[in-house]
Amino acid sequence: MDQTGAAFVEAVEPYGPFALFIVGVGIAVVAVLCAFILPTWRKNLEAQQSIERMKAEAQIELEKKREERKAAESERQAQMNKERAEIDGRNAVTMEGLKTSIDAMRATQERSNALLEGSRSGSAKMGETVEDTNRLVTEIHHAIVK
């Protein structure tokens, strides 16, 4: 390696000290780059990879929680639908009972109306009978009193 360095210096010597200075600066830049910048760049790259990995893990966790919430919401919706179906079934039974009651009340009302109409007819006949009786009594009274 010493021979390589000496050969290099002899090759650059005809160009003067400025060329040697430029080569030295170049070697120094490469040394600084290798000693400080590349490790820092590598650490930065590892930090970025770590951040990306944490983001991916956080995204996976977020998706997992979202799926759990969706499952819980779906279960809650199914329970609500089941309860709604039970309530609708009870309401249907209640409505059928009310319909039956209304039909029975309607039949009772019609029977009562028929009895009332019969009573009215009977009262009208009685009224005619009473009027006839009154007329006859009046005729008898006039016949006796005269």
Side-chain angles (χ1 to χ4, degrees), residues 9 23 33 47 51 55 57 65 79 92 101 146:
V9 169
V23 170
L33 186 73
I51 289 171
K55 281 183 181 179
E57 289 171 359
K65 287 181 180 179
Q79 181 65 26
S101 296
K146 284 186 174 182

Side-chain angles (χ1 to χ4, degrees), residues 35-104:
F36 298 107
I37 295 184
L38 287 179
T40 304
W41 179 72
R42 187 176 312 132
K43 286 180 185 177
N44 186 22
L45 185 62
E46 289 172 358
Q48 286 178 351
Q49 289 173 345
S50 175
I51 289 171
E52 290 298 321
R53 189 172 40 254
M54 285 192 290
K55 281 183 181 179
E57 289 171 359
Q59 186 67 27
I60 290 170
E61 187 65 27
L62 182 66
E63 289 295 325
K64 183 179 175 183
K65 287 181 180 179
R66 185 176 295 141
E67 290 300 321
E68 288 173 358
R69 279 195 308 266
K70 282 182 181 179
E73 179 65 28
S74 176
E75 187 176 318
R76 197 172 23 245
Q77 187 69 28
Q79 181 65 26
M80 286 174 39
N81 288 342
K82 181 181 175 185
E83 290 173 0
R84 185 177 300 126
E86 289 173 1
I87 289 170
D88 288 346
R90 286 191 298 252
N91 284 343
V93 169
T94 302
M95 292 299 286
E96 190 62 33
L98 288 173
K99 183 180 175 190
T100 303
S101 296
I102 289 171
D103 289 344

Side-chain angles (χ1 to χ4, degrees), residues 110-120:
E110 288 172 0
R111 197 170 40 251
S112 295
N113 286 343
L115 289 173
L116 183 61
E117 190 59 38
S119 178
R120 282 183 187 156

